[in-house]
Amino acid sequence: HSHDKKQIGRRIILHGHTPLSKKDIKAQLDKSKVKVINLDGGCVYQGMKNGKGYLFALDMDNMQFYSCKKSKHDIVSYKP
């Protein structure tokens, strides 16, 4: 991805919508001076796509990365 570094300045862009594996998301965070972070772990694809199926959170104050995977005991409901 190309991003205008002048326009971003000191800000960090955190986005989703493009599922990545946990390994790929952690690799983004390991890069120094990260400006753009995709935090979409494809939680809706658990069991369907290899490496996907996680829900992620990122503490922007200290860049601590958290992840969880849905267990078979979780109740998921969807109401349109």
Side-chain angles (χ1 to χ4, degrees):
H1 301 324
S2 64
H3 305 284
D4 185 343
K5 292 180 182 181
K6 284 185 179 182
Q7 190 173 23
I8 293 172
R10 296 184 343 198
R11 293 174 281 215
I12 295 174
I13 297 172
L14 180 62
H15 70 91
H17 194 66
T18 306
L20 297 176
S21 69
K22 185 176 182 178
K23 176 184 164 188
D24 290 340
I25 291 173
K26 288 176 89 172
Q28 289 179 116
L29 298 174
D30 290 339
K31 293 179 183 176
S32 63
K33 299 184 180 181
V34 162
K35 291 288 190 178
V36 180
I37 302 168
N38 177 1
L39 205 61
D40 188 339
C43 64
V44 299
Y45 298 119
Q46 184 176 357
M48 292 185 275
K49 293 189 177 187
N50 193 22
K52 310 278 189 316
Y54 288 89
L55 180 63
F56 297 114
L58 181 65
D59 184 333
M60 299 290 288
D61 291 330
N62 59 22
M63 299 304 280
Q64 179 68 43
F65 178 71
Y66 301 92
S67 67
C68 67
K69 201 165 197 173
K70 188 182 100 176
S71 76
K72 64 181 180 180
H73 302 291
D74 289 343
I75 296 172
V76 178
S77 65
Y78 173 76
K79 294 182 180 177

